[in-house]
Amino acid sequence: MRAYVLKHYGGPEGSQLMDVPAPTPRPRDILVEVHAAGLNPVDYKFRQGKLRAILRPKLPFVLGNELAGEVIALGSDVKRWRVGDRVFARVAKDRGGAFADQACVDEDHAALMPRNLDFTTAAAVPLAGLTALQALRDELGVKPGQKVFISGGAGGVGTFAIQIAKWLGAHVTTTASKRGEALVRSLGCDGVIDYATQDISKAEGRFDAGFDLIGGKTLEQMFEIMKPGTKIVSIAGVPEPQTAIKDLGGRRALAVVFWIISYGIRSRARRVGVSYRYLFMHASGTELAGLAELIEQGQLKVIIDKTCPFTKIPEALAYVESGHAKGKVVVTMR
Ligand SMILES: NC(=O)c1ccc[n+]([C@@H]2O[C@H](COP(=O)([O-])OP(=O)(O)OC[C@H]3O[C@@H](n4cnc5c(N)ncnc54)[C@H](OP(=O)(O)O)[C@@H]3O)[C@@H](O)[C@H]2O)c1
């Protein structure tokens, strides 16, 4: 089968489209004929070797973190799925494999695709959709009427985050450039700050919850616009001890490293009475089924910037790496 394979960490030349043997399902896996796979910044960050401190699979390694397709075989212990089911999934962090004609997925990580979506659109949902849900509902506990600030609303995660925050009943302000403003407003955003020309401190009032998708200076400035006693969850800043304990399987040595590297940002948070959490999202079929329901009810739209054939995956990944996607980028296998 065709697969996009990482041979060595670094630039795009370290990965290539090649023929590899099809994967064999473990007892609790389903084997999926992949129709489409979504791209995410984690794909190029992983390729660059930036995640080596936390994920170290053996190379060569088939890249790709999310997919939509049809079940074509079942592991020996799988009871919930049938051959022919149309599923979508964020595959396990350490497993990859979505950029291929066939992929094995842990049965607990898959969900039935929303009935009103095709494979291409469904493949854009799992990673970004779950990240937004886990941050806003589970980590921040956003409640109706609260003021939520989301940095970077126009990209893959942001377009889900705005809609999920609105679904939770929040008043939402985001940052976007002129290129992204119409899109974020169309998703229901109440306030927009043009990050290229305006300072975040220009945001009206103070916020009850912050979701940071940008990191760096943006994250630092977000601390200044939060009410005391509130929380910022970042997916682009610096990992902190909870990331290792809650999201990465309780790795204590890693928690110490994260304690050290997050010292500055945690001190900044403490000074203004705000708590800081770096979330590393997790795969979950159950939570994905919840997103499928929202999509079927028309509460959640999937915004796709670009769709490319699988053979164009290097170009598609380069586009994601440019950092300007509006919504999601997807490659199609069939
Ligand atoms: N920890 C986790 O579990 C997790 C999960 C998912 C994603 N992430 C991370 O979260 C980040 C966002 O992911 P994504 O999929 O949303 O990325 P993305 O789709 O590549 O985001 C691109 C968008 O970001 C906008 N943007 C760029 N710089 C900006 C800035 N300074 N302020 C506001 N907007 C800006 C761009 O708008 P313009 O083109 O208009 O500039 C573009 O629309 C990435 O770093 C990713 O690795 C982490």
Side-chain angles (χ1 to χ4, degrees), residues 5-312:
V5 178
L6 177 71
K7 292 188 143 180
H8 57 85
Y9 292 110
E13 69 290 343
S15 319
Q16 68 188 72
L17 263 175
M18 54 192 284
D19 268 320
V20 300
T24 310
R26 300 176 194 162
R28 298 204 55 227
D29 282 350
I30 52 176
L31 181 63
V32 178
E33 181 175 64
V34 183
H35 283 244
L39 275 62
N40 294 279
V42 68
D43 299 318
Y44 67 78
K45 291 181 184 178
F46 184 82
R47 188 205 68 210
Q48 291 165 344
K50 289 192 172 153
L51 274 75
R52 267 185 290 184
I54 46 178
L55 299 174
R56 275 181 179 269
K58 269 201 192 138
L59 304 188
F61 179 78
V62 179
L63 294 167
N65 284 286
E66 63 183 349
L67 55 80
E70 216 168 308
V71 177
I72 53 171
L74 306 174
S76 53
D77 293 347
V78 173
K79 303 273 181 293
R80 291 197 293 130
W81 298 103
R82 292 206 186 95
V83 168
D85 281 344
R86 291 153 65 96
V87 295
F88 65 154
R90 190 276 190 249
V91 296
K93 287 174 186 139
D94 53 353
R95 232 176 149 182
F99 297 157
D101 285 322
Q102 294 179 16
C104 283
V105 179
D106 184 309
E107 66 165 337
D108 292 338
H109 294 168
L112 282 176
M113 269 170 48
R115 284 183 290 262
N116 55 342
L117 294 193
D118 56 17
F119 289 111
T120 306
T121 317
V125 176
L127 197 150
L130 286 172
T131 304
L133 185 71
Q134 290 165 9
L136 291 160
R137 185 193 61 185
D138 307 337
E139 291 291 336
L140 289 166
V142 170
K143 301 278 177 303
Q146 285 191 328
K147 286 184 64 153
V148 176
F149 189 87
I150 300 171
S151 59
V157 178
T159 48
F160 285 106
I162 291 168
Q163 299 180 80
I164 289 173
K166 291 303 296 180
W167 167 68
L168 291 168
H171 178 281
V172 181
T173 301
T174 195
T175 54
S177 69
K178 282 273 169 281
R179 297 177 295 268
E181 182 174 352
L183 171 62
V184 298
R185 286 207 188 275
S186 75
L187 298 173
C189 217
D190 301 286
V192 182
I193 294 179
D194 178 353
Y195 77 84
T197 58
Q198 282 174 294
D199 201 273
I200 286 178
S201 61
K202 298 284 175 297
E204 260 175 55
R206 289 291 171 264
F207 290 85
D208 301 295
F211 182 25
D212 166 52
L213 282 51
I214 302 296
K217 279 263 167 296
T218 303
L219 170 60
E220 288 176 14
Q221 289 172 2
M222 278 175 68
F223 286 107
E224 312 307 323
I225 57 169
M226 303 298 296
K227 291 179 188 164
T230 58
K231 180 174 178 180
I232 291 179
V233 171
S234 177
I235 55 167
V238 187
E240 39 75 40
Q242 282 301 302
T243 317
I245 303 301
K246 276 181 85 174
D247 307 338
L248 295 169
R251 291 159 66 179
R252 299 212 160 264
L254 200 58
V256 174
V257 175
F258 288 174
W259 187 90
I260 295 166
I261 63 171
S262 64
Y263 186 79
I265 200 83
R266 286 184 296 106
S267 304
R268 181 182 285 263
R270 230 183 357 261
R271 276 201 298 276
V272 288
V274 172
S275 62
Y276 172 72
R277 162 99 163 95
Y278 179 93
L279 171 73
F280 203 46
M281 61 82 62
H282 58 266
S284 163
T286 311
E287 292 175 19
L288 195 52
L291 289 178
E293 233 177 281
L294 288 184
I295 291 168
E296 285 175 357
Q297 292 163 0
Q299 305 256 25
L300 196 54
K301 281 191 280 189
V302 184
I303 306 299
I304 298 202
D305 177 321
K306 236 189 226 320
T307 305
C308 304
F310 189 31
T311 49
K312 296 278 182 216

